[in-house]
Amino acid sequence: MEQITVLYPEELCLLSTVACVLGTVEMFSQAERFWTSQGRIPKYQLLVAGTSGKKEYVRNLVSIKTDAHIAEIRKTKLIIIPSALPPKDTEDNAVMTDWIAKQHKAGADIASMCSGAFILAATGILDGKNCSTHWTHADKFRQLYPNVNLQANQLITDENGIYTNGGAYSFLNLLIYLIQKYYDRETAIYCSKYLQIEIDRNTQSVFSIFSGQKQHGDEIVQQAQEFIESNVDTKIFIEDLSSKFAIGRRNFDRRFIKATGNTPIEYAQRVKIETAKKAFETTRKTVNEVMYEVGYNDVKAFREVFRKITGMAPLAYRAKYNNTL
């Protein structure tokens, strides 16, 4: 029987860390129970491995008793890293990231949940690979790990045994995905039904709330951001915007991308669509009314951009999130 290890990074714990660990134990227990109930031999043993050996209470509320220290884990099929604080420069954290890297080199697959991506990225394993994390952490993640291809809209990324997922309780969707990978589709469907978790979700775009990155120190770019945000109802031409600040278009684009992670066009689209989302959530306005208010006059173009950013059509979004209708 092979082993799956759930990391419990004691010094970096949040309440969400505990939720991820307990959710993983529950989900894989159900998967193993279903698997063996079909007359098959046991497949995986799940262990929770700590990193410091200290008993720490999260928010003076809860503490997890681990099965082992990571140093005792010699070989594992899969390491699951829960949501956690970004690792600091401590001896325990260095031991933890070294252990993850060595296990991966020895053949272990790795999966990170939510902000656990910071721990995984600290090992260097994610360099050059795609990755997801909670959308609120995207700017900080890009600053700390510029060599990782952050895909903040993706719910799950899968790069040959390196798995990451988006924010908060979407870790349950990652677990369903992993159960399908490590058991089979039938077991994944059973777990999704038994624990009532939607199967085959693939985006967290609809949950994102766009807030432009402004902690970058480029005053011109910040002024451009403020102009875009103050003129949501206007169709903005980037050539005019770069001329307004007396910067060539190519240089303006380069500075804007470096500062915000978006091109000027992408930024303007996200600002407009965020305004449109709020209108659909809180008013009875039609698609056309909202479209005109955010500077579009082509309904097809508006729908395409809205779907690209949110993963949903405007009418579907309004139906899902507006409780005044």
Side-chain angles (χ1 to χ4, degrees):
M1 184 163 46
E2 294 184 291
Q3 182 175 305
I4 292 175
T5 303
V6 185
L7 186 71
Y8 186 60
E10 279 108 334
E11 293 185 353
L12 306 174
C13 286
L14 303 160
L15 284 178
S16 60
T17 312
V18 177
C20 288
V21 172
L22 296 182
T24 302
V25 172
E26 170 70 5
M27 188 85 76
F28 272 91
S29 295
Q30 291 296 339
E32 189 69 20
R33 188 175 298 117
F34 178 80
W35 179 265
T36 55
S37 73
Q38 307 302 301
R40 292 170 287 201
I41 62 172
K43 192 169 180 66
Y44 294 109
Q45 177 189 31
L46 188 76
L47 293 179
V48 179
T51 57
S52 72
K54 303 172 185 176
K55 186 174 182 179
E56 296 188 8
Y57 283 85
V58 182
R59 299 273 296 271
N60 295 317
L61 182 65
V62 63
S63 180
I64 289 179
K65 184 179 182 296
T66 59
D67 299 306
H69 185 274
I70 55 173
E72 301 173 62
I73 307 296
R74 301 301 178 190
K75 183 175 177 59
T76 188
K77 174 71 173 176
L78 170 67
I79 297 169
I80 298 175
I81 304 171
S83 170
L85 293 167
K88 299 177 182 177
D89 188 15
T90 68
E91 183 177 346
D92 281 342
N93 289 338
V95 169
M96 174 183 65
T97 52
D98 286 347
W99 176 79
I100 294 169
K102 288 176 182 176
Q103 288 289 337
H104 176 60
K105 189 174 181 180
D109 296 337
I110 316 287
S112 70
M113 298 168 165
C114 191
S115 57
F118 286 86
I119 294 175
L120 181 53
T123 68
I125 292 171
L126 281 177
D127 286 357
K129 295 183 174 66
N130 291 325
C131 166
S132 186
T133 189
H134 197 294
W135 54 267
T136 59
H137 302 319
D139 291 332
K140 183 174 183 179
F141 190 92
R142 288 189 181 98
Q143 290 171 4
L144 289 176
Y145 303 108
N147 295 327
V148 179
N149 302 321
L150 183 64
Q151 305 293 322
N153 291 332
Q154 291 298 308
L155 190 73
I156 295 170
T157 65
D158 178 347
E159 294 237 356
N160 300 316
I162 303 297
Y163 312 97
T164 69
N165 97 284
Y169 283 77
S170 70
F171 77 85
L172 296 169
N173 300 100
L174 174 65
L175 290 174
I176 292 292
Y177 186 85
L178 292 175
I179 286 168
Q180 180 169 327
K181 284 274 186 179
Y182 291 90
Y183 287 89
D184 59 15
R185 177 74 174 179
E186 182 186 15
T187 306
I189 291 172
Y190 170 79
C191 289
S192 75
K193 290 182 176 180
Y194 183 83
L195 295 167
Q196 300 185 37
I197 300 163
E198 184 180 350
I199 198 167
D200 294 334
R201 263 187 62 205
N202 57 18
T203 179
Q204 63 175 346
S205 299
V206 69
F207 299 109
S208 298
I209 301 172
F210 182 69
S211 177
Q213 153 69 353
K214 294 189 174 73
Q215 307 302 314
H216 46 67
D218 190 321
E219 186 176 344
I220 294 295
V221 171
Q222 185 161 342
Q223 289 178 25
Q225 289 174 272
E226 291 170 355
F227 181 85
I228 290 170
E229 292 166 10
S230 299
N231 292 274
V232 176
D233 59 345
T234 303
K235 184 174 182 179
I236 294 175
F237 295 93
I238 305 305
E239 290 83 359
D240 295 342
L241 192 58
S242 61
S243 297
K244 176 181 176 64
F245 296 103
I247 302 176
R249 171 65 190 270
R250 184 176 297 179
N251 188 35
F252 182 70
D253 284 355
R254 179 186 59 79
R255 286 175 62 170
F256 206 99
I257 293 169
K258 181 179 179 182
T260 70
N262 298 114
T263 67
I265 291 174
E266 289 170 342
Y267 193 91
Q269 288 176 338
R270 288 184 174 275
V271 168
K272 290 174 181 293
I273 297 306
E274 190 62 34
T275 302
K277 284 164 59 181
K278 291 176 182 175
F280 287 136
E281 291 165 13
T282 60
T283 74
R284 294 173 176 266
K285 293 176 180 176
T286 66
V287 171
N288 280 3
E289 287 174 322
V290 173
M291 174 188 75
Y292 291 129
E293 287 184 358
V294 296
Y296 283 87
N297 54 24
D298 182 333
V299 69
K300 182 181 178 182
F302 174 70
R303 285 174 176 161
E304 287 177 352
V305 174
F306 194 95
R307 183 183 286 278
K308 176 184 175 183
I309 291 175
T310 68
M312 298 179 73
L315 282 176
Y317 186 92
R318 186 178 67 173
K320 188 177 182 69
Y321 288 104
N322 190 307
N323 63 4
T324 69
L325 298 176

